[in-house]
């Protein structure tokens, strides 16, 4: 996912609070979960992108 803006993936502003980022993550996970989309390969890919984006944001915020 290098080169992708994690905040854009989660559709949240960079200045969003941790709670707002977490809420955006939860919404995106529910929306893109493969089980909720008939096992769609596109949904699976998007689901993974959402998870990576959230992990990157958390790592940046914890270290910075």
């Amino acid at each position: 996912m290098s080169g992708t803006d994690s905040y854009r993936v989660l559709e949240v502003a960079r200045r969003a609070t941790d709670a707002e980022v977490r809420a955006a993550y939860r919404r995106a996970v529910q929306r893109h979960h493969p089980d909720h989309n008939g096992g769609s390969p596109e949904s699976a890919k998007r689901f993974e992108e959402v998870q990576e984006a959230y992990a990157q944001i958390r790592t940046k915020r914890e270290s910075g």
Side-chain angles (χ1 to χ4, degrees), residues 5-16:
D5 183 358
S6 300
Y7 293 94
R8 183 173 290 182
V9 170
L10 294 181
E11 300 175 0
V12 68
R14 290 184 179 281
R15 65 184 180 279

Side-chain angles (χ1 to χ4, degrees), residues 26-42:
R26 293 177 62 111
R27 282 191 306 272
V29 162
Q30 289 176 350
R31 182 172 52 235
H32 298 292
H33 197 285
D35 289 348
H36 296 194
N37 293 290
S40 165
E42 279 185 40

Side-chain angles (χ1 to χ4, degrees), residues 7 10-28 54 57 61:
Y7 293 94
L10 294 181
E11 300 175 0
V12 68
R14 290 184 179 281
R15 65 184 180 279
T17 65
D18 289 343
E20 291 169 329
V21 171
R22 186 172 42 254
Y25 166 72
R26 293 177 62 111
R27 282 191 306 272
Y54 184 64
I57 290 172
R61 289 185 175 206

